[in-house]
Amino acid sequence: MKTLSTSLLALALTAAVSSSAFAEGSKIEKSTLINASKNTLTNTQAIGRNSSANTGSISVESSKVEKSTVINASKNTLTNTQAIGRDSSANTGSIDIK
């Protein structure tokens, strides 16, 4: 059972990393950011201190966003998103601009 749990966690983390778009330290100008992800039967978990997990999400950090349009048309069905631990975050089908 422990091996199954570990395998499922690894699969969830791989899926979380592979289906997210990231932009950091850039300039986004006169652009359109569209999140049209379709998430069905997903399990996104950020477990542990300062951990992060994203599925079907757009994350923009330390970037300058000007004169742009942001559209979140994400469709989420039967999703489970959990952030467990101090300063951890988990997002499914979201747009996060910091």
Side-chain angles (χ1 to χ4, degrees):
M1 187 65 175
K2 185 177 180 181
T3 304
L4 177 62
S5 297
T6 304
S7 297
L8 289 175
L9 178 60
L11 179 63
L13 292 175
T14 301
V17 172
S18 66
S19 64
S20 299
F22 295 95
E24 187 172 344
S26 58
K27 184 176 181 181
I28 300 170
E29 187 175 319
K30 297 179 184 175
S31 300
T32 302
L33 301 174
I34 301 173
N35 182 6
S37 64
K38 295 179 182 177
N39 307 296
T40 303
L41 295 171
T42 60
N43 183 10
T44 305
Q45 298 181 4
I47 301 172
R49 188 175 186 172
N50 296 319
S51 61
S52 178
N54 299 288
T55 300
S57 299
I58 296 174
S59 181
V60 180
E61 294 185 23
S62 304
S63 298
K64 190 173 187 177
V65 180
E66 292 182 337
K67 301 176 185 176
S68 296
T69 303
V70 179
I71 300 169
N72 187 1
S74 177
K75 295 181 181 180
N76 304 290
T77 306
L78 299 172
T79 61
N80 180 19
T81 306
Q82 299 178 20
I84 301 169
R86 187 178 192 180
D87 298 322
S88 63
S89 66
N91 297 298
T92 300
S94 62
I95 298 176
D96 185 23
I97 300 175
K98 295 179 187 177

